[in-house]
Short mmCIF file of all heavy atoms in Angstrom, two decimals:
data_model
loop_
_atom_site.label_atom_id
_atom_site.label_comp_id
_atom_site.label_asym_id
_atom_site.label_seq_id
_atom_site.Cartn_x
_atom_site.Cartn_y
_atom_site.Cartn_z
N ASN U 17 24.18 22.92 -83.35
CA ASN U 17 24.38 23.94 -84.37
C ASN U 17 23.37 23.85 -85.51
O ASN U 17 23.34 24.72 -86.37
CB ASN U 17 25.80 23.87 -84.91
CG ASN U 17 26.78 24.28 -83.85
OD1 ASN U 17 26.57 25.25 -83.14
ND2 ASN U 17 27.85 23.52 -83.70
N LEU U 18 22.56 22.82 -85.54
CA LEU U 18 21.54 22.71 -86.58
C LEU U 18 20.24 23.41 -86.18
O LEU U 18 19.30 23.47 -86.96
CB LEU U 18 21.28 21.25 -86.91
CG LEU U 18 22.48 20.50 -87.49
CD1 LEU U 18 22.12 19.03 -87.74
CD2 LEU U 18 22.97 21.15 -88.78
N ILE U 19 20.19 23.94 -84.98
CA ILE U 19 19.00 24.66 -84.52
C ILE U 19 19.07 26.08 -85.07
O ILE U 19 20.05 26.79 -84.85
CB ILE U 19 18.91 24.68 -82.99
CG1 ILE U 19 18.76 23.25 -82.45
CG2 ILE U 19 17.75 25.55 -82.52
CD1 ILE U 19 18.76 23.14 -80.95
N SER U 20 18.03 26.50 -85.77
CA SER U 20 18.01 27.83 -86.39
C SER U 20 17.65 28.90 -85.36
O SER U 20 17.14 28.60 -84.28
CB SER U 20 17.00 27.86 -87.53
OG SER U 20 15.69 27.77 -87.01
N GLU U 21 17.86 30.16 -85.74
CA GLU U 21 17.48 31.28 -84.86
C GLU U 21 15.98 31.24 -84.58
O GLU U 21 15.56 31.48 -83.45
CB GLU U 21 17.84 32.62 -85.52
CG GLU U 21 19.31 32.93 -85.49
CD GLU U 21 19.60 34.30 -86.09
OE1 GLU U 21 18.97 35.28 -85.67
OE2 GLU U 21 20.46 34.36 -86.98
N ASP U 22 15.18 30.95 -85.59
CA ASP U 22 13.73 30.89 -85.41
C ASP U 22 13.33 29.78 -84.43
O ASP U 22 12.41 29.95 -83.63
CB ASP U 22 13.01 30.69 -86.74
CG ASP U 22 13.09 31.91 -87.63
OD1 ASP U 22 13.28 33.03 -87.10
OD2 ASP U 22 12.95 31.75 -88.86
N THR U 23 14.03 28.66 -84.49
CA THR U 23 13.72 27.56 -83.58
C THR U 23 14.12 27.90 -82.15
O THR U 23 13.41 27.55 -81.21
CB THR U 23 14.40 26.26 -84.06
OG1 THR U 23 13.98 25.99 -85.40
CG2 THR U 23 14.03 25.09 -83.16
N TRP U 24 15.26 28.59 -81.97
CA TRP U 24 15.64 29.04 -80.63
C TRP U 24 14.55 29.94 -80.07
O TRP U 24 14.14 29.82 -78.92
CB TRP U 24 16.96 29.80 -80.64
CG TRP U 24 18.19 28.93 -80.70
CD1 TRP U 24 19.11 28.88 -81.70
CD2 TRP U 24 18.63 27.98 -79.73
NE1 TRP U 24 20.08 27.96 -81.40
CE2 TRP U 24 19.81 27.40 -80.19
CE3 TRP U 24 18.11 27.55 -78.49
CZ2 TRP U 24 20.51 26.42 -79.49
CZ3 TRP U 24 18.82 26.58 -77.78
CH2 TRP U 24 19.99 26.03 -78.28
N ARG U 25 14.07 30.88 -80.90
CA ARG U 25 13.01 31.80 -80.44
C ARG U 25 11.75 31.04 -80.06
O ARG U 25 11.13 31.33 -79.03
CB ARG U 25 12.72 32.84 -81.51
CG ARG U 25 13.85 33.83 -81.65
CD ARG U 25 13.52 34.94 -82.65
NE ARG U 25 14.62 35.87 -82.71
CZ ARG U 25 15.48 35.93 -83.72
NH1 ARG U 25 15.34 35.16 -84.75
NH2 ARG U 25 16.47 36.81 -83.69
N LEU U 26 11.36 30.07 -80.89
CA LEU U 26 10.18 29.25 -80.57
C LEU U 26 10.39 28.48 -79.27
O LEU U 26 9.49 28.41 -78.43
CB LEU U 26 9.89 28.29 -81.72
CG LEU U 26 8.75 27.30 -81.50
CD1 LEU U 26 7.42 28.03 -81.31
CD2 LEU U 26 8.66 26.32 -82.66
N LEU U 27 11.58 27.94 -79.10
CA LEU U 27 11.88 27.19 -77.89
C LEU U 27 11.73 28.09 -76.66
O LEU U 27 11.09 27.70 -75.68
CB LEU U 27 13.30 26.62 -77.96
CG LEU U 27 13.72 25.81 -76.75
CD1 LEU U 27 14.33 24.50 -77.21
CD2 LEU U 27 14.70 26.56 -75.89
N PHE U 28 12.29 29.29 -76.71
CA PHE U 28 12.22 30.19 -75.55
C PHE U 28 10.81 30.70 -75.30
O PHE U 28 10.39 30.83 -74.16
CB PHE U 28 13.20 31.34 -75.70
CG PHE U 28 14.64 30.91 -75.66
CD1 PHE U 28 15.57 31.43 -76.55
CD2 PHE U 28 15.08 29.97 -74.74
CE1 PHE U 28 16.90 31.02 -76.51
CE2 PHE U 28 16.40 29.55 -74.69
CZ PHE U 28 17.31 30.08 -75.59
N LYS U 29 10.06 30.94 -76.36
CA LYS U 29 8.67 31.38 -76.18
C LYS U 29 7.81 30.28 -75.61
O LYS U 29 6.91 30.53 -74.81
CB LYS U 29 8.10 31.85 -77.52
CG LYS U 29 8.65 33.18 -77.96
CD LYS U 29 8.09 33.59 -79.31
CE LYS U 29 8.74 34.89 -79.75
NZ LYS U 29 8.32 35.29 -81.10
N THR U 30 8.06 29.03 -76.02
CA THR U 30 7.24 27.91 -75.59
C THR U 30 7.64 27.36 -74.23
O THR U 30 6.81 27.18 -73.35
CB THR U 30 7.31 26.77 -76.63
OG1 THR U 30 6.98 27.30 -77.91
CG2 THR U 30 6.36 25.65 -76.29
N LEU U 31 8.93 27.10 -74.04
CA LEU U 31 9.41 26.49 -72.80
C LEU U 31 9.94 27.51 -71.79
O LEU U 31 10.05 27.20 -70.61
CB LEU U 31 10.54 25.49 -73.10
CG LEU U 31 10.22 24.31 -74.00
CD1 LEU U 31 11.45 23.43 -74.18
CD2 LEU U 31 9.06 23.51 -73.47
N GLY U 32 10.26 28.69 -72.26
CA GLY U 32 10.89 29.69 -71.42
C GLY U 32 10.23 29.99 -70.10
O GLY U 32 10.90 30.04 -69.07
#
Side-chain angles (χ1 to χ4, degrees):
N17 293 316
L18 297 178
I19 297 176
S20 69
E21 285 183 52
D22 290 336
T23 303
W24 281 117
R25 289 185 179 105
L26 176 62
L27 181 132
F28 294 137
K29 287 178 184 175
T30 306
L31 299 181

